[in-house]
Every structure is written in structure tokens, then in C-alpha cells.
Amino acid sequence: MGVLYGPKSYENEPHRDPSLIVNSKEPFNAETPPKALVRSFVTPEDLFYKRNHGPIPVIDDPNNYRLEIGGLVPGPLSLSLQDLRNLPKHTVTATLQCAGNRRTAMSKVRKVKGVGWAISALGNAVWGGARLHDVLELAGVRQESSKRHVEFSSVDVCKEENGGPYKASIPLSQAMSPEAEVILAYEMNGKELNRDHGFPLRVVVPGVIGARSVKWLTEIKVIEEECQGFFMQKDYKMFPPTVDWDNINWNSRRPLMDFPVQCAICSPAEGDLVKAGSKMKIQGYAVSGGGRGIERVDVSVDGGKTWQEAQRFQDDKEYIADNPEKCKRFAWVLWELTVELTNSPLEVVAKAVDAAANIQPEDVSSIWNLRGVLNTSWHRVKLNVVPPQSKL
Amino acid sequence: MGVLYGPKSYENEPHRDPSLIVNSKEPFNAETPPKALVRSFVTPEDLFYKRNHGPIPVIDDPNNYRLEIGGLVPGPLSLSLQDLRNLPKHTVTATLQCAGNRRTAMSKVRKVKGVGWAISALGNAVWGGARLHDVLELAGVRQESSKRHVEFSSVDVCKEENGGPYKASIPLSQAMSPEAEVILAYEMNGKELNRDHGFPLRVVVPGVIGARSVKWLTEIKVIEEECQGFFMQKDYKMFPPTVDWDNINWNSRRPLMDFPVQCAICSPAEGDLVKAGSKMKIQGYAVSGGGRGIERVDVSVDGGKTWQEAQRFQDDKEYIADNPEKCKRFAWVLWELTVELTNSPLEVVAKAVDAAANIQPEDVSSIWNLRGVLNTSWHRVKLNVVPPQSKL
Ligand SMILES: [Mo]
Ligand SMILES: [Mo]
């Protein structure tokens, strides 16, 4: 008894921070207030965005927890939490981002389907756990560039899976690569993982859309083909703007994995009152998938006519993209720029360039897609400028 | 003696195909006619773009060739071509692209510096040689994620290096990674490498701007800091549009490595006459750096108002991004779309999306940079439509 299970009702949800911006109550989906997001390089667990597809799983006695490793492995295994803790512990600072981050803004072009998210469906944490590579090796898998996949199964009850659990997969080559740093995390920010984030165990796939970092993990299988679950095959794919619900062919597109370069302004916020003649600090985040660093963040206060480069930081230290000594490659950068305000109308715009010189699209309509994923268009914030003598 | 050397004069240049489009004679810089580029998945050596910074090096007796491996390696080595051929042979199909590809179009916004290139400063070849990983391992280097770099030195005489040879470096972690497939190539398309492409030996760094695939290689050094040569530190960096020759700080930017997603229309060409009512086949290439596949190619014939998806091919086979069975991840895709022409004005536009959902910028002005590198903006070709009864 006491094994991990997914309840059908929402009677046993964990306590949540009241400052979270709630986008849906059941399942619970909520994001961080943007100004809180730029307060620290590592996002506090309580403020980290919550993304769920059903009630939060429950385990009465964590001693009874087992992780099953099976499928096409020479030696199937059943591991306890203690077994996992006995493996070498690896920590990775990684930003998880929901593919639906900034979806709400995409709906302004044309209505998209899915939970509405403003700009905070992402967070940066220090994840601690066993390397997936080490666990697969224990099961007899050897480093190989094979065509196989590794499937992760949860225990939650998802209506999209007709009451079945959430599933996803990644290529076996990524699972086995030391550079990919895929881990089975039992810790978040140095503390025991909490229920909202996957207690007792979750996968963390750095640089990849959050949807592949399966929470409440109970089974890992090496399989021949990629996972056929709903969230791999009928969701989290990006279609061109020409595809709508009447002409969609899900098989025509690949599941999203690495996310593209993203950037947003967290402070000030749309509509904030600012005083002409004063100084204003502009702050935000930028992040790219696949371990690509952030080479540059450009900020404009005149709607995109002129630009200045923002300063980038990680852990309050100056950041240099792709310098392994000076950057955590799976983590976001926080950036800031202080400008002196004039009387002119103010529209702040931010965009980033990643280490492979990838850029963000200027216009959201060029990347509009019916599921509203990966809105990475230039982020714009309009402010109200008041005269220098005004009281704010 | 007969060792490999870089002559100071252009008296001993190799024969070149007369159909090449020559952008500079001395040093010889030339590109493929665009319509020839889409004729085959593998670009013939003679038509492959030529990019040089000085006269082509000469070796009288290849038996005297030595590759020196030194610097921070436990066991320095001196290898002959036969030693290299005795190592396991690895082949990789990789598209090399000059960072200056499509530079000419960037100058239309504001003049940039550098050799002018239209859309064919790239080509796709099957490179055969020894793995850099194996050679470094022979010298006692072990797989490690260290902060060191691997420097490649040529023997050519470059005026940018004040008569010294061309040099570049890549991170040691990339050099040692089996997935990165960095090779020391002595073959191109199954034939002995020719002089224009680096005979007797060159580096091929798949997915990275061509400038790091050093030709006429004679020395490999493991070093503490990245290469300080001209082409790493004072060239091949991307600055924002706000930086010009009067305010440039070369140290503020990182050397370009992986290139971003790129796409161009090779046929028809700007100004071609086409007949209303006829069918037209539109063909081009698309490629992304870092081993990221091409997820989609969108083509418009009305200047970008409406779009259709093109079909992608590799080796005449249907291509599926990131499916290791169905794609060569370091090679371009060729694409095609057949459309029926109406009387309306025709502007063909093409843009690609890579496997990490990276997109191309719509407008070249947003990525303008003083060195004219990485013009990856949407490619546009205007055609002249003539009435159905016209003779073409
Ligand atoms: Mo998500
Ligand atoms: Mo180049």
C-alpha cells in the first residue's frame, strides 16, 4: 500500500502561494507575477509556474515508491528512492518553460486553444538527482547512437489520455549523452521536490519544452518508436499559420523538443505610469533551448526604432554566452537596462539572439499556430508617461 | 623537400570550372550558379563554392606531409597521411556554409564590408577522413568537458594575418564529442580532397560556419583559451545594427560557431520570365546549424500574403527532421513546390523552420551587421509574368 497514485478528485491538492496568477483551478495552472520572476536567478519553488493536467498525485509512504525501468533493456530494474539517492548525485541549473508561455498574446491575432499564459510560464531552478544515463546503464544500456527512445510515464489522471497517465519520450541518444544532463530529480533548489513539481521523482530534460520533463515518474521504458501518447502526438507540435482545426494532420509534424530563443520584459509592466525625466530600470529574462546561450539582448524604448544592448547576468555575475566558465548553458539570463525617460511616448521592446545567432520573429502573426505554442515574438510593453511634476 | 607550403603568388592556382560565379580572383572566391546547386543533393567538388584568403597551398610530395598534434596533450604526435588513413575512416554528409552567404543582399540596406556573395556560398558534400576524436585520443586526450580549445592551423599566406596562416579553434568538448562528428578529411565525395578544398587534409566541423573548417591543415594544438587569430577575434562575429566601424568593440562579441536556420530560392531566379497559366517548379535549399534538422519550408508566390509548405528531400528521399533514420542532420534539405501561375504579379518568398522551431527574420534590416554575416532573412525573388500566348 502507500504507493504513488493519481487521485480522480481535487480534494488533496497542496497549499499554493496566494501571489500566483491562476490561469485554471482544476487542473491547477498558475504562473509567477512577472516582477517576482526577475527578483532572483533561481526561482523559489513556491513561485515557480505550476502546469498540471489532473489532480496532484499522492503517496502515503515514500518508502513504498518504486521506479520501474523496463522495455528494451538487458536488465529490467525496480528502484526505490534510496536506490536513486545512492547513485552519484548530479545537479543542473535549468530553466523549464511551458511551450504555451506567452500564449495569451498569440490569441490577439486569432483565437488559439489552450490554457492562457502571460509571460511567466517558465522558471529557473537547481535540480538535483540521479543521471538518467547512470540509471539506464544500471539496466544494462550502453552509450549508443541508436534510433530508440526513452519513454517516461507518470501516474496522474489526465482527461486528454482518457484517464490514463501523462507520458512523453526523448531520443535514447539524448538520454545517454553526458552533455544533455538529463536527470531524475528528487530535489529542487536543494530541498526535497514538492508535490506540485513531481514528488517524489520527476525527469528534468534541460533545454527542452517543459512537457517532456514528466512529473510523478513511475516508469521508464526503452522503446523502438517514440511515445505515442497524446502529449507527444496530438499536442505540443507546431503547425504553420495556414493549418487550422478543419485541415490539421497531426502526423505531418514532429513533436516539439528544444525550444527556440525567447525573451520577455518583466518590469515595467504594460500600462505602468512612469515619470518623464526620471530613470527607469528595465528588467527581463532571455533563454534558448538545446543549451544554446544568450549572445545578446536588445532593448528599445521607442517601439523598435532604436536599440541598446542590455546587460546579462546569471547569479548576479556578468554572463558570457558559450563560455563554460561564465555561463550555465541550460539556464536563463536575467537582463537589465537603465534608461532616462523623455516626454516621448514609451513602448519598450525586447528581443534576444542566441549563441547560434538565432533570432526572434518580429511579428507574432508569422508564427501563429492553432495550439498557441512557442510565441517567441518580440515582446512589447506600452507605458504611460506622466509629466515630471506628477505624483506617482 | 616537398612539404606543404603557402606560396605568396597566384602562379600555381588549380584549374577551376568556368561556370563558377567569381566574386574575387586573387584570392579566388567563387560560388555555384544557383540553378546548379539544386540539381543534386551532393554538390560536385568542381561546383562547390571556393573561399580563400590567399594563394592555394602547394605540396610537391604528399609523402612528406606531416600533421603535428601538440599543445596541452600528454603525447604530442606527428602523423603522416598514411597514419591518418590507417585510423578508422568516418564519413559525414555535411553542408558547409560561408558566414558571408547572402552578404550582397545585406548591402542593399546599408553597405557592408567583405567579399560579395549571392545565395550560393554553401555546398553539401560527403567528407571522409579520421575522426578528430580518435586523433586526439592517440595523443592521450580523454573525453572530458573541459574549458580547453582545439586550434587548427593552416599554411596559407593571409594578408589579414600579416602573411601568417589561417587559424581557428573549436571547444575541446565539441572536438571529443562523437555526436559532433568533427573529422580530419582527406576525401570529398569519395575522391581525394582537391587543392581548392584543402588538399591534403582539412578539418570539417559540421553545423558550424565554414570559417572553422580549416583547410591545408598542418597543426592541431590543444590550448587553454580560444584561438586569438584574426578570423576568430576580429572577424566572423555578429554585431547588432547599432554597431559600426566607428564604435566597434571586437571583444564584446563571441566568435560565430553554429549557424542559424537559412533558406533560399535557387530556381526560378530574380527577373525570370514566366507564363501565366503554366506550372512552375520552385526549388531551393534549407539548412540549420548545430545538427538541427529542417522542420518545415514555407513558400509564398504572393510576396508573403499566403503560404504553402514545400516538400523536402535528401538524396531524393522524403525527409523527416530529427528522425535519425530519415535525415542526415548536418546536411541541407533540397525542397520543391509546383504552383500554377495566374496573371497576378509574382513574388516568390521562402523561409524555413528548424527542429528547434527557430525561424528566419522577415526583414534583413533587423539583423544588418557591419561585416555582413549571417543574412538569413526571408528570401524573395520577383518574376515577370507574361501572357499565356507569349513565346518564351
Ligand atoms: Mo507545457
Ligand atoms: Mo566564410
Side-chain angles (χ1 to χ4, degrees):
Chain A
M1 301 314 306
V3 297
L4 184 66
Y5 70 97
K8 291 198 173 126
S9 82
Y10 289 92
E11 282 157 26
N12 202 355
E13 295 286 284
H15 170 79
R16 274 100 180 207
D17 191 292
S19 74
L20 287 171
I21 300 162
V22 178
N23 298 320
S24 112
K25 274 190 179 157
E26 295 181 352
F28 189 73
N29 287 296
E31 65 188 293
T32 323
K35 290 180 189 185
L37 212 52
V38 287
R39 236 178 259 143
S40 57
F41 174 62
V42 172
T43 313
E45 312 81 75
D46 286 357
L47 294 177
F48 203 98
Y49 79 104
K50 320 292 176 202
R51 176 75 181 106
N52 298 299
H53 292 88
I56 305 301
V58 172
I59 185 163
D60 295 324
D61 184 357
N63 289 322
N64 290 335
Y65 172 82
R66 310 299 294 183
L67 173 68
E68 309 294 334
I69 296 108
L72 306 169
V73 300
L77 289 173
S78 172
L79 300 178
S80 68
L81 278 175
Q82 193 54 49
D83 292 335
L84 288 158
R85 287 178 182 274
N86 289 343
L87 289 169
K89 181 174 164 185
H90 184 74
T91 62
V92 60
T93 305
T95 298
L96 292 187
Q97 179 179 212
C98 178
N101 191 27
R102 303 182 61 203
R103 175 178 286 143
T104 305
M106 197 172 267
S107 272
K108 284 178 194 160
V109 174
R110 210 155 92 226
K111 180 83 184 136
V112 299
K113 208 162 158 174
V115 177
W117 295 98
I119 62 169
S120 303
L122 86 173
N124 185 53
V126 183
W127 307 96
R131 283 183 185 272
L132 176 57
H133 165 274
D134 292 345
V135 169
L136 290 173
E137 223 172 50
L138 262 189
V141 180
R142 294 289 160 258
Q143 188 168 345
E144 55 192 321
S145 56
S146 103
K147 295 149 198 160
R148 292 181 171 168
H149 299 263
V150 180
E151 181 178 75
F152 309 114
S153 300
S154 182
V155 292
D156 55 347
V157 173
C158 301
K159 70 171 176 316
E160 294 90 338
E161 288 284 12
N162 299 313
Y166 192 101
K167 289 179 184 187
S169 70
I170 61 171
L172 178 58
S173 55
Q174 184 174 13
M176 294 301 283
S177 158
E179 288 85 32
E181 298 187 63
V182 182
I183 64 168
L184 305 179
Y186 45 74
E187 275 185 15
M188 181 180 186
N189 297 343
K191 294 163 212 144
E192 186 172 69
L193 196 64
N194 70 31
R195 287 182 60 212
D196 261 335
H197 294 290
F199 179 78
L201 195 75
R202 76 174 301 173
V203 190
V204 173
V205 188
V208 166
I209 62 162
R212 312 309 176 208
S213 286
V214 176
K215 301 190 278 187
W216 314 293
L217 184 69
T218 52
E219 192 181 12
I220 294 176
K221 270 164 91 170
V222 174
I223 55 179
E224 210 60 80
E225 304 267 310
E226 74 189 6
C227 167
Q228 294 301 305
F230 180 89
F231 299 100
M232 287 290 283
Q233 301 303 335
K234 304 279 178 181
D235 199 359
Y236 295 119
K237 292 186 173 185
M238 191 167 78
F239 289 85
T242 48
V243 172
D244 219 325
W245 296 104
D246 54 353
N247 64 349
I248 192 167
N249 170 9
W250 283 102
N251 292 335
S252 67
R253 299 266 74 94
R254 308 276 309 147
L256 291 173
M257 299 303 288
D258 287 7
F259 53 79
V261 55
Q262 174 70 288
C263 174
I265 303 153
C266 295
S267 176
E270 180 81 20
D272 278 2
L273 292 177
V274 292
K275 207 182 273 194
S278 70
K279 283 192 178 180
M280 174 175 70
K281 192 196 267 191
I282 308 170
Q283 291 173 283
Y285 64 77
V287 63
S288 193
R292 290 179 287 284
I294 296 296
E295 166 65 18
R296 210 173 80 218
V297 175
D298 298 328
V299 178
S300 171
V301 292
D302 55 11
K305 285 199 238 5
T306 62
W307 299 88
Q308 286 178 265
E309 186 178 350
Q311 278 187 286
R312 293 156 294 150
F313 300 95
Q314 279 187 340
D315 257 339
D316 305 320
K317 282 194 288 287
E318 191 207 3
Y319 165 93
I320 299 178
D322 274 12
N323 179 330
E325 288 165 273
K326 301 212 171 150
C327 87
K328 297 188 160 73
R329 63 196 200 98
F330 289 116
W332 65 13
V333 299
L334 298 183
W335 54 260
E336 59 177 65
L337 178 73
T338 299
V339 294
E340 248 177 284
L341 301 180
T342 65
N343 272 313
S344 316
L346 262 182
E347 185 181 6
V348 185
V349 193
K351 61 184 170 79
V353 178
D354 77 11
N358 287 300
I359 49 78
Q360 300 178 238
E362 180 169 347
D363 187 4
V364 65
S365 66
S366 70
I367 52 161
W368 184 93
N369 62 87
L370 75 174
R371 274 299 278 115
V373 290
L374 300 183
N375 179 8
T376 56
S377 59
W378 295 6
H379 189 217
R380 293 172 183 272
V381 165
K382 282 192 183 124
L383 304 176
N384 292 309
V385 188
V386 297
Q389 60 278 18
S390 313
K391 283 187 183 161
L392 284 189
Chain B
M1 298 314 302
V3 297
L4 184 66
Y5 70 98
K8 289 198 175 129
S9 82
Y10 290 91
E11 282 157 26
N12 202 355
E13 296 285 285
H15 170 80
R16 275 99 180 208
D17 192 292
S19 74
L20 286 170
I21 300 162
V22 178
N23 298 320
S24 114
K25 274 188 178 156
E26 295 182 351
F28 189 74
N29 287 296
E31 64 189 294
T32 323
K35 290 179 189 184
L37 212 51
V38 288
R39 235 177 260 143
S40 57
F41 174 62
V42 171
T43 313
E45 314 79 76
D46 287 357
L47 294 177
F48 203 98
Y49 79 104
K50 320 291 177 203
R51 176 74 181 106
N52 298 298
H53 293 88
I56 305 300
V58 173
I59 185 163
D60 296 324
D61 184 355
N63 291 321
N64 291 335
Y65 171 81
R66 309 299 294 183
L67 172 68
E68 310 294 334
I69 297 107
L72 306 169
V73 300
L77 290 171
S78 173
L79 300 177
S80 69
L81 277 176
Q82 194 54 51
D83 293 334
L84 288 158
R85 286 178 182 275
N86 289 344
L87 288 170
K89 181 174 164 183
H90 184 74
T91 63
V92 60
T93 306
T95 298
L96 291 187
Q97 177 178 214
C98 178
N101 191 27
R102 302 183 60 203
R103 175 177 286 143
T104 305
M106 197 172 266
S107 273
K108 284 178 193 160
V109 174
R110 211 154 90 225
K111 180 84 184 136
V112 300
K113 209 162 157 174
V115 177
W117 295 99
I119 61 169
S120 303
L122 85 172
N124 186 53
V126 182
W127 308 97
R131 283 182 185 272
L132 176 57
H133 165 274
D134 292 345
V135 169
L136 290 173
E137 222 171 50
L138 261 189
V141 180
R142 294 288 160 258
Q143 187 168 345
E144 54 191 321
S145 56
S146 103
K147 296 149 199 161
R148 291 180 172 170
H149 299 262
V150 180
E151 182 178 74
F152 311 114
S153 300
S154 181
V155 293
D156 55 346
V157 173
C158 302
K159 68 172 177 316
E160 294 91 338
E161 289 283 13
N162 300 314
Y166 192 101
K167 289 180 184 188
S169 70
I170 61 170
L172 177 59
S173 55
Q174 184 174 14
M176 294 301 283
S177 158
E179 287 86 31
E181 297 187 62
V182 182
I183 65 168
L184 306 179
Y186 44 75
E187 276 184 16
M188 181 180 185
N189 297 342
K191 294 162 211 145
E192 187 173 69
L193 195 64
N194 69 30
R195 287 182 60 212
D196 260 336
H197 294 290
F199 179 78
L201 195 75
R202 75 173 302 172
V203 191
V204 172
V205 188
V208 166
I209 62 163
R212 313 306 177 209
S213 286
V214 175
K215 300 190 279 190
W216 315 293
L217 184 69
T218 52
E219 192 180 12
I220 295 176
K221 270 165 90 170
V222 175
I223 55 179
E224 210 60 79
E225 304 267 311
E226 73 190 7
C227 167
Q228 294 301 304
F230 180 89
F231 299 100
M232 286 290 283
Q233 301 303 334
K234 305 278 178 182
D235 199 358
Y236 295 120
K237 292 186 173 185
M238 192 167 77
F239 289 85
T242 47
V243 172
D244 218 327
W245 295 104
D246 54 354
N247 65 348
I248 192 167
N249 170 9
W250 283 102
N251 292 334
S252 67
R253 300 266 72 96
R254 308 277 309 148
L256 291 173
M257 299 301 290
D258 287 8
F259 54 80
V261 56
Q262 174 70 289
C263 174
I265 302 153
C266 295
S267 178
E270 181 80 20
D272 277 2
L273 292 176
V274 292
K275 207 183 273 193
S278 69
K279 283 192 177 180
M280 174 175 70
K281 192 196 266 190
I282 308 170
Q283 291 174 282
Y285 64 78
V287 63
S288 193
R292 290 179 287 284
I294 296 296
E295 166 65 19
R296 210 173 80 217
V297 175
D298 297 328
V299 178
S300 171
V301 292
D302 55 12
K305 285 199 237 9
T306 61
W307 298 88
Q308 286 179 265
E309 187 178 348
Q311 278 187 286
R312 292 156 295 149
F313 300 95
Q314 279 188 338
D315 258 338
D316 305 321
K317 281 194 290 287
E318 189 207 3
Y319 165 93
I320 299 179
D322 274 13
N323 179 331
E325 289 166 272
K326 302 214 171 148
C327 87
K328 297 189 160 74
R329 62 195 200 98
F330 290 116
W332 64 14
V333 299
L334 298 182
W335 54 261
E336 60 178 64
L337 178 73
T338 300
V339 294
E340 249 177 283
L341 301 180
T342 65
N343 272 313
S344 317
L346 262 181
E347 185 181 5
V348 185
V349 193
K351 61 184 169 81
V353 178
D354 78 10
N358 287 300
I359 50 79
Q360 300 178 240
E362 179 168 348
D363 186 5
V364 65
S365 67
S366 70
I367 53 162
W368 183 94
N369 62 87
L370 75 175
R371 275 299 279 113
V373 291
L374 301 184
N375 179 9
T376 56
S377 59
W378 296 6
H379 189 218
R380 292 172 183 273
V381 165
K382 281 192 184 126
L383 304 176
N384 293 310
V385 188
V386 298
Q389 61 277 18
S390 311
K391 283 188 183 158
L392 282 191

